[in-house]
Amino acid sequence: MNFIQKHIKPILSDQKPDYVLLILASILFITGMIFSYSLSIFTVDYFDYNQFHFLIRQAFVGFIAIFIMFFFAHIRPEVLFDKYKIGWFLFGFFIILMSVMPFLPASFVTQSGGANRWIRLPGFSLSPVEFFKIGFIYFLAFSFNRKFIGINKVSFTQELKMLLPYFFIFSIAVFLIAVLQKDLGQVVLLGTVLFVMLIFANRSAKLFVMIITTAIAGVITLILLAPHRVNRLQSWWSSVQDSILAIFPESIATVLRVKDFPEPYQVSNSLNAIYHGGWFGVDLSNGAMKLGFLSEVHIDFVLAGITEEIGLVGLSFIVVLFITLILRILRISRRIENSKYHLFSLGIAIMLVVAFIINSYGIAGIIPIKGIAVPFLSYGGSSVLSLGIALGLVLSISTNMKKEY
């Protein structure tokens, strides 16, 4: 009893967390578990896995994530952020881990497209970038709160000097993720988070014009330096060029048109899966495109697989749950007086929205495909655990919300 009074009670929050957010996140995690079973049937058969191979793994990490959310939800945010410095650990430890990955023996890493993206551990693989994203958002929230909040009247030169350390750190992240891991999608996500959080830190319009110009130049450079990105872009353009070039004069359209380039079969099969599902789907586990026609359907193309099985109506229900979850996070961010907590909650909401948009636009052929996991739904332990930590921290922050009158 004395131990509880001395050590446990001081870290517990006196106010209730946002249980609606906890329930919404738990439902989405469980939905991801269900489809990790339903959509992985071809992979299970191809590699001769146990029938419940992916379900067991996803359920294991999923329920750990739910437990983390529930546990963090009842802890004071100052304990998690200031005493135990979870945000700083995620930022510092995982950027170091990404830095040493290229030098690890082949037996310790898993390659994807010629790049080391996962670290092999007993029984599972760890993707450091998923956890680094949470730490990066905390770093921005903590630092912006100290340097920018309440400071408006500074010259453009002074403002630029204030931002140079952030551009330097972001450049390191670009090198580690986009160059060494060949993962441009995660860099685009982190850059968008940085940009939006700067908006809420009240920076000048001149700064944003410069950032946008630099970002466009940087993305173009990263694409041109990697032949596989150029091929992917040409492949995507071949599938959308007819509808876009129709509005241009023929002389311009002829120059911009890509000839004799195959359309991306993955996107074609993804669209076929969505079309096949129709309004109400073909029923759970009865999808056809997952049977070898659409690779990694339980990971990168999970939204297409879900739509085929439960239809646009079922997908719309999932999207409504997701939007409601985002609105709950933004509600927490709006009602928090502490600017650091406000910016962190906002950053997590931006991260989730951008990841969902990049993936959904990719499978629909609106933008080139990027290997970004769909929050809650894509199979992957690192993604699920990092989300559990991120939302657990937001739930902890929710205990400090102002009451609405």
Side-chain angles (χ1 to χ4, degrees):
M1 190 66 180
N2 289 334
F3 177 83
I4 294 175
Q5 290 287 339
K6 185 177 180 180
H7 297 284
I8 304 298
K9 196 170 182 180
I11 70 172
L12 296 177
S13 176
D14 297 327
Q15 299 184 39
K16 293 181 179 179
D18 187 342
Y19 284 117
V20 175
L21 174 60
L22 177 61
I23 292 170
L24 288 169
S26 300
I27 292 173
L28 287 169
F29 275 133
I30 292 171
T31 302
M33 297 176 204
I34 293 170
F35 283 102
S36 69
Y37 172 72
S38 175
L39 298 178
S40 61
I41 181 171
F42 177 79
T43 307
V44 165
D45 183 64
Y46 185 82
F47 289 103
D48 196 26
Y49 289 150
N50 178 279
Q51 179 183 356
F52 302 102
H53 175 85
F54 292 102
L55 173 62
I56 292 171
R57 287 167 172 256
Q58 192 76 346
F60 179 73
V61 294
F63 284 117
I64 289 177
I66 292 172
F67 172 78
I68 289 172
M69 289 193 302
F70 182 83
F71 178 71
F72 280 9
H74 296 87
I75 305 296
R76 298 176 186 271
E78 57 269 21
V79 173
L80 295 173
F81 283 100
D82 301 326
K83 183 177 180 179
Y84 293 108
K85 304 184 186 302
I86 290 178
W88 284 118
F89 171 78
L90 293 172
F91 177 75
F93 180 76
F94 285 100
I95 198 172
I96 293 172
L97 206 55
M98 288 192 297
S99 301
V100 301
M101 280 178 67
F103 308 103
L104 293 176
S107 58
F108 284 93
V109 295
T110 302
Q111 285 197 351
S112 175
N116 298 335
R117 294 186 182 178
W118 290 273
I119 295 177
R120 288 197 191 118
L121 296 171
F124 68 100
S125 295
L126 181 73
S127 175
V129 69
E130 296 292 346
F131 298 91
F132 170 74
K133 289 187 295 188
I134 313 303
F136 182 73
I137 292 171
Y138 174 78
F139 162 73
L140 294 180
F142 173 86
S143 193
F144 284 4
N145 177 56
R146 293 186 60 187
K147 285 195 171 185
F148 298 136
I149 299 299
I151 302 176
N152 296 318
K153 295 181 179 180
V154 295
S155 67
F156 177 70
T157 303
Q158 290 176 312
E159 191 174 39
L160 196 57
K161 287 180 180 178
M162 293 168 67
L163 282 171
L164 282 178
Y166 303 100
F167 294 152
F168 176 72
I169 290 173
F170 184 70
S171 298
I172 294 175
V174 169
F175 177 75
L176 293 175
I177 300 169
V179 178
L180 296 184
Q181 297 189 15
K182 299 182 181 179
D183 194 348
L184 183 59
Q186 298 287 8
V187 168
V188 172
L189 186 151
L190 290 174
T192 306
V193 170
L194 172 60
F195 183 81
V196 177
M197 289 181 70
L198 277 172
I199 292 175
F200 282 85
N202 300 320
R203 295 302 90 212
S204 68
K206 288 182 180 179
L207 181 68
F208 292 119
V209 172
M210 187 207 72
I211 291 175
I212 292 172
T213 305
T214 305
I216 293 173
V219 170
I220 293 174
T221 302
L222 288 170
I223 290 173
L224 294 178
L225 289 176
H228 74 280
R229 290 186 186 128
V230 175
N231 291 336
R232 185 180 297 170
L233 185 61
Q234 288 179 316
S235 180
W236 166 77
W237 178 246
S238 70
S239 66
V240 300
Q241 61 183 354
D242 290 339
S243 57
I244 296 176
L245 294 179
I247 64 175
F248 289 91
E250 187 60 31
S251 59
I252 298 177
T254 302
V255 175
L256 296 177
R257 189 177 302 280
V258 174
K259 297 180 180 179
D260 301 324
F261 209 94
E263 294 187 8
Y265 75 93
Q266 282 284 74
V267 174
S268 298
N269 287 337
S270 172
L271 293 173
N272 286 336
I274 295 170
Y275 177 79
H276 187 217
W279 287 105
F280 299 103
V282 296
D283 292 334
L284 198 65
S285 79
N286 286 336
M289 298 307 294
K290 67 186 179 184
L291 301 177
F293 299 101
L294 199 56
S295 64
E296 297 186 330
V297 64
H298 56 301
I299 305 175
D300 293 344
F301 288 86
V302 66
L303 290 177
I306 288 174
T307 306
E308 183 180 22
E309 298 202 342
I310 63 175
L312 290 172
V313 172
L315 178 67
S316 297
F317 178 73
I318 292 175
V319 172
V320 168
L321 288 177
F322 183 79
I323 292 174
T324 306
L325 178 140
I326 297 299
L327 292 176
R328 297 300 295 192
I329 298 176
L330 293 176
R331 172 177 173 266
I332 292 168
S333 179
R334 177 174 57 85
R335 291 175 56 187
I336 289 294
E337 293 181 337
N338 186 307
S339 298
K340 179 175 66 177
Y341 298 159
H342 157 69
L343 289 171
F344 179 80
S345 302
L346 176 69
I348 296 300
I350 298 165
M351 180 191 73
L352 294 174
V353 170
V354 173
F356 193 93
I357 289 175
I358 289 177
N359 186 282
S360 57
Y361 280 23
I363 68 164
I366 299 173
I367 63 174
I369 287 290
K370 303 306 301 176
I372 297 269
V374 182
F376 305 102
L377 303 177
S378 290
Y379 174 81
S382 295
S383 174
V384 169
L385 286 177
S386 63
L387 268 181
I389 293 171
L391 291 175
L393 292 171
V394 173
L395 284 164
S396 175
I397 290 171
S398 73
T399 61
N400 279 13
M401 282 193 302
K402 294 185 298 183
K403 292 183 179 180
E404 292 183 322
Y405 297 98

